Amino acid sequence: MKKYEELKVGVLALQGAFREHRLMLERLGCSVVEVRLPRHLEGLDGMVIPGGESTAIGKLMVEWKLLEPIREMAQGGFPLWGTCAGMIMMARRITERERVMEQHRLGLLDATVVRNAFGRQRESFEADIEVKGFDAPFHAIFIRAPFISEYGPELEVLATVDSNPVFVRQGNLLGSSFHPELTDDVRIHSYFLDMIRSGGM
Ligand code: GLN
């Protein structure tokens, strides 16, 4: 198994909280590539799509010709993790206030992701959540966060808030509603790196 130091991980750097992911991954020892162009995808072991604004990220991914190649790589088993807007980008179906959203997406996770799902009162909040396989709760930061409303049998739910999935895995794909890159806790980043090391399985 590769060491963290041997991993080359991409962070999509078009919009949103990509610097924070970069710092976290570097802290764990990997080399990090900020992905802005298709050629930056070469030789990556895995990639993170950060939080931000999913409509903007989607438009920029089309403009910079990144949507198709990333979709193809992920369909071929390339490990991909989306946080918040990144998870929205990975979904097959996107809704907001009962409306189906026709924004650009990768369409990989067999799930319906609801944008801004926690409503006005709980627009941004923090919560200690139980994560499958972790021996202590994870302090999760939610910012205009989505959750998953419906999903297929291939999706494994790793954490929920009020029984709504907020951390999920589907083979080589990982999605989280919250922002582990804004905390000091490296466990979710480690989880993703371990997923890469074990071949996305
Ligand atoms: N609400 C944003 C969206 O719909 C996501 C927010 C975030 O990434 N923190 O894209």
Side-chain angles (χ1 to χ4, degrees):
M1 222 195 256
K2 279 191 179 177
K3 297 197 184 93
Y4 285 178
E5 286 74 19
E6 294 169 290
L7 298 178
K8 193 167 143 186
V9 181
V11 178
L12 188 70
L14 299 175
Q15 194 263 341
F18 55 87
R19 276 184 202 90
E20 291 79 359
H21 273 294
R22 177 183 189 131
L23 293 173
M24 204 77 164
L25 292 163
E26 283 174 347
R27 216 172 110 190
L28 287 166
C30 340
S31 51
V32 177
V33 177
E34 291 191 359
V35 175
R36 294 191 177 85
L37 297 168
R39 67 178 161 84
H40 298 153
L41 296 168
E42 280 163 32
L44 297 182
D45 294 301
M47 192 173 114
V48 178
I49 305 182
E53 183 55 48
S54 57
T55 47
I57 294 175
K59 274 188 204 145
L60 291 166
M61 282 178 88
V62 170
E63 222 166 280
W64 294 99
K65 302 202 165 24
L66 284 162
L67 195 74
E68 290 296 328
I70 293 171
R71 180 186 293 135
E72 275 167 30
M73 284 164 74
Q75 281 166 341
F78 177 69
L80 192 64
W81 169 26
T83 53
C84 204
M87 179 172 84
I88 299 171
M89 282 305 304
M90 286 169 70
R92 292 211 184 130
R93 294 169 298 279
I94 306 170
T95 64
E96 184 169 6
R97 287 193 224 99
E98 319 281 302
R99 281 204 340 260
V100 175
M101 303 299 287
E102 296 301 340
Q103 61 194 80
H104 297 292
R105 77 204 60 186
L106 291 161
L108 299 162
L109 287 176
D110 185 10
T112 302
V113 176
V114 185
R115 290 181 66 187
N116 302 315
F118 291 94
R120 288 249 167 96
Q121 257 106 47
R122 286 180 88 191
E123 198 156 89
S124 298
F125 63 98
E126 303 187 11
D128 290 318
I129 61 171
E130 299 290 337
V131 177
K132 205 168 161 183
F134 287 11
D135 39 16
F138 189 91
H139 188 71
I141 300 176
F142 296 84
I143 305 167
R144 293 173 57 79
F147 63 56
I148 287 174
S149 60
E150 283 160 30
Y151 55 95
E154 278 177 65
L155 213 87
E156 185 188 3
V157 176
L158 300 170
T160 57
V161 168
D162 306 333
S163 74
N164 300 301
V166 293
F167 185 35
V168 297
R169 175 163 178 188
Q170 180 185 309
N172 57 310
L173 310 170
L174 193 65
S176 58
S177 296
F178 50 96
H179 290 266
E181 77 285 6
L182 301 182
T183 67
D184 224 18
D185 193 336
V186 294
R187 286 180 293 165
I188 308 265
H189 286 78
S190 297
Y191 182 97
F192 181 58
L193 297 182
D194 292 340
M195 203 171 119
I196 297 179
R197 295 200 302 168
S198 56
M201 294 301 136

